[in-house]
């Protein structure tokens, strides 16, 4: 790891002031530190959000679940409120990486990183959640912009994510056994304004499978997907699985998610 | 250089360190507690697992400065008055180790596991030890040891 300066702001305003050109935000460090150790990233400074009050915690009020950016995966997985309001979300958090990773990694870090095989982006896009930053509120449909790209500006900090309650939802993950990331993960949600299907792991970034959404809009049953195929064009093709295999998995997992949705 | 202060195995320690010092290196080099092993250094094997404020974490994937003010427990902090911790005793009794390289991390993870699942079944144990790799045992006796320790501590 190359040298850097360590900064620990006590407020969001201080954090923004410390985020100069060469600085990077540090949350749980479960993506950033491994990347720095491999020297794939070499920020001049790290701005650690750990001491800023109000960035962590879960609130369920009315029709929304709000999760602070610094809330760790393990907290979401263990939350009775989340399990009651959106069981699929608690379940997804419990499937991220391993126990030690879940004890450190945060939802804000996962979304800002936008790894093409990460789990949280599927929930955020699948549920049509809103990502709140120190500057604005960003709809999920605008937030994710492909491989490791998001709508976030250079000194923009995610503060929380708000998830509208679906009528029913489920997440099905086909684990890549070595990395624990999703070879393919499919989040299905039936909401008041239609069915949403978000797919992670299969493409260069999380995306909505509109053909599946249309079919499920007609009938929210696994059988509705019997004759729906996902095109392999543009999907990931690597030693872990061909694009065709991933395309096939998308429909299989979507069917399982529809069957499991609650 | 920033100063870090933390409690390690019940003792307060303090040092001026380079911010890029990993918690694993701080423990091994600065504190000379070499029971915490570094197996992969790429956040995958779990040999470096310790408890930070009671939670199992990979100390190779945390900066020492991030543990400022924290309560840290390593494998050296488990025995009391010369008596092994029930988890250590169960690993010995059930042959939950061969070369022993993964063992400190395994034991620390297992303690976190039993804290959250006082009465775990085999599937839960295997699932929860996902972040710890063992190249020797085939896991079978590790799972037995964890189950036995959970039973012994009144799960
Ligand atoms: C062994 C292993 C297995 C894993 N398996 C999975 C898996 O199966 N599924 C999965 O989804 N993930 C997995 N991960 C990644 C893990 O979930 C990370 O915790 C997560 O991707 C990043 O969160 P973090 O809090 O650790 O962020 P960090 O690593 O601290 O930061 C990641 C990036 O986000 C930026 N950032 C952090 N917080 C904010 C914020 N509030 N606002 C703006 N930018 C911010 C940082 O600058 C950095 O660029 C795994 C990681 C490891 C080491
Ligand atoms: S040395 Fe930390 S996970 Fe392998
Ligand atoms: S006992 Fe040798 S690696 Fe586990």
């Amino acid at each position: 790891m190359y040298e850097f300066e360590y900064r620990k702001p006590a407020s969001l305003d201080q954090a923004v002031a410390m985020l100069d050109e060469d600085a990077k935000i540090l949350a749980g460090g479960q993506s950033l530190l491994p990347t720095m150790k491999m020297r794939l990233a070499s920020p001049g400074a790290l701005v650690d959000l750990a001491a800023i009050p109000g960035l962590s915690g879960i609130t369920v009020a009315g029709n929304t679940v709000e999760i602070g950016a610094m809330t760790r995966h393990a907290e979401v997985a263990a939350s009775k409120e989340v399990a009651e309001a959106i069981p699929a979300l608690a379940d997804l958090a419990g499937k991220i990486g391993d126990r030690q990773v879940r004890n450190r990694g945060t939802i804000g870090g996962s979304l800002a990183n936008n790894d093409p095989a990460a789990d949280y982006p599927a929930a955020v896009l699948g549920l049509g959640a809103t990502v709140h930053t120190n500057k604005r509120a960003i709809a999920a449909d605008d937030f994710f912009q492909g491989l490791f790209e998001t709508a976030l500006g250079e000194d923009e900090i995610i503060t929380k994510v708000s998830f509208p309650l679906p009528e029913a939802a489920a997440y099905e993950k086909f684990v890549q056994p070595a990395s624990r990331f999703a070879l393919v993960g499919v989040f299905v949600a039936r909401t008041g304004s239609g069915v949403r299907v978000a797919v992670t792991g299969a493409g260069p970034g999380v995306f909505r499978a509109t053909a599946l959404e249309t079919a499920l809009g007609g009938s929210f049953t696994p059988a509705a997907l019997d004759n729906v195929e996902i095109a392999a064009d543009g999907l990931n093709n690597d030693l872990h699985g061909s694009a065709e295999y991933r395309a096939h998995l998308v429909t299989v997992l979507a069917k399982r998610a529809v069957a499991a949705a609650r | 250089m920033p100063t870090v202060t933390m409690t390690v195995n019940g003792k307060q320690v303090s040092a001026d360190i380079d911010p890029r010092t990993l918690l694993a290196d701080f423990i091994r080099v600065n504190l000379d507690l070499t029971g915490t092993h570094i197996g992969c250094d790429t956040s995958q094997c779990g040999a470096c697992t310790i408890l930070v404020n009671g939670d199992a974490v990979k100390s190779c994937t945390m900066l020492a400065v991030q543990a400022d003010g924290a309560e840290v427990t390593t494998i050296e902090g488990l025995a009391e008055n010369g008596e092994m911790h029930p988890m250590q005793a169960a690993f010995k009794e059930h042959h939950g180790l061969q070369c022993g390289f993964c063992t400190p991390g395994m034991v620390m993870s297992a303690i976190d596991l039993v804290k959250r699942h006082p009465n775990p079944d085999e599937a839960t144990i295997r699932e929860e030890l996902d972040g710890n790799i063992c190249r020797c045992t085939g896991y079978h006796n590790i799972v037995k040891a964890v189950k036995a320790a959970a039973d012994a501590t009144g799960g």
Side-chain angles (χ1 to χ4, degrees):
Chain A
M1 200 184 297
Y2 290 109
E3 258 182 316
F4 58 84
E5 202 182 290
Y6 178 75
R7 302 171 183 163
K8 200 169 183 183
S11 70
L12 273 178
D13 287 345
Q14 259 184 29
V16 172
M18 288 175 176
L19 272 171
D20 49 35
E21 216 175 289
D22 203 20
K24 243 181 160 352
I25 294 168
L26 175 66
Q30 301 301 292
S31 291
L32 184 54
L33 295 176
T35 315
M36 289 171 64
K37 285 164 73 174
M38 287 189 284
R39 296 186 167 182
L40 296 171
S42 50
L46 289 186
V47 178
D48 186 351
L49 303 184
I52 302 177
L55 285 185
S56 178
I58 297 166
T59 349
V60 181
N63 288 326
T64 15
V65 173
E66 275 191 2
I67 301 182
M70 289 295 280
T71 312
R72 298 174 299 156
H73 308 331
E75 296 170 67
V76 177
S79 162
K80 291 207 171 62
E81 289 115 305
V82 177
E84 210 156 280
I86 314 181
L89 186 57
D91 175 55
L92 174 144
K95 287 177 174 162
I96 298 175
D98 53 52
R99 162 60 40 185
Q100 294 95 314
V101 168
R102 294 194 292 276
N103 276 342
R104 292 293 303 163
T106 69
I107 186 167
S110 174
L111 297 179
N113 197 50
N114 193 20
D115 187 295
D119 298 300
Y120 266 132
V124 168
L125 190 61
L127 290 165
T130 305
V131 179
H132 299 265
T133 74
N134 56 328
K135 297 188 171 153
R136 56 189 169 138
I138 310 170
D141 285 311
D142 302 323
F143 184 82
F144 302 104
Q145 305 193 343
L147 195 66
F148 295 108
E149 290 293 330
T150 68
L152 292 173
E154 284 298 324
D155 60 348
E156 200 166 3
I157 302 170
I158 299 176
T159 52
K160 64 178 180 189
V161 187
S162 49
F163 295 90
L165 300 198
E167 291 165 7
Y171 180 62
E172 289 291 326
K173 175 177 183 176
F174 193 95
V175 173
Q176 202 274 85
S179 76
R180 302 270 149 220
F181 275 87
L183 185 66
V184 176
V186 179
F187 197 101
V188 171
R190 197 181 73 214
T191 76
S193 51
V195 176
R196 295 174 69 100
V197 179
V199 179
T200 188
V206 66
F207 64 90
R208 285 176 67 182
T210 43
L212 303 187
E213 291 181 354
T214 311
L216 292 171
S219 156
F220 194 73
T221 56
L225 301 179
D226 276 349
N227 298 313
V228 186
E229 284 194 10
I230 290 277
D233 295 348
L235 296 190
N236 301 336
N237 197 2
D238 55 30
L239 77 165
H240 305 298
S242 66
E244 289 73 21
Y245 180 61
R246 281 185 165 90
H248 179 69
L249 271 183
V250 172
T251 317
V252 171
L253 295 174
K255 281 186 181 179
R256 287 185 193 165
V258 171
R262 59 192 176 100
Chain B
M1 288 213 289
T3 306
V4 291
T5 304
M6 64 186 92
T7 308
V8 179
N9 301 333
K11 259 198 356 229
Q12 188 168 317
V13 296
S14 203
D16 295 333
I17 54 168
D18 183 333
R20 63 181 154 167
T21 309
L22 298 172
L23 185 52
D25 291 326
F26 180 73
I27 289 168
R28 290 178 52 84
V29 178
N30 292 59
L31 305 182
D32 211 15
L33 294 172
T34 52
T36 298
H37 292 167
I38 296 177
C40 66
D41 210 19
T42 52
S43 315
Q44 322 233 290
C45 75
C48 64
T49 302
I50 59 167
L51 303 181
V52 174
N53 297 326
D55 295 329
V57 305
K58 294 173 182 171
S59 62
C60 77
T61 314
M62 187 168 171
L63 300 171
V65 285
Q66 289 179 290
D68 191 37
E71 191 79 53
V72 171
T73 309
T74 70
I75 191 78
E76 290 91 343
L78 293 182
E80 274 181 41
N81 308 319
E83 288 265 325
M84 277 195 272
H85 183 282
M87 190 62 75
Q88 292 172 300
F91 268 68
K92 183 178 175 203
E93 167 77 20
H94 295 273
H95 306 286
L97 62 150
Q98 287 180 23
C99 79
F101 195 84
C102 71
T103 314
M106 236 7 130
V107 167
M108 301 316 281
S109 275
I111 288 172
D112 184 2
L113 187 168
V114 171
K115 181 188 77 187
R116 285 172 298 100
H117 302 277
N119 199 1
D121 58 17
E122 184 185 331
T124 306
I125 296 172
R126 289 184 182 274
E127 174 69 31
E128 292 278 318
L129 289 179
D130 231 13
N132 293 78
I133 294 174
C134 175
R135 299 305 300 268
C136 303
T137 63
Y139 301 98
H140 202 66
N141 287 351
I142 292 177
V143 175
K144 269 206 252 172
V146 176
K147 181 80 187 119
D151 292 346
T153 46

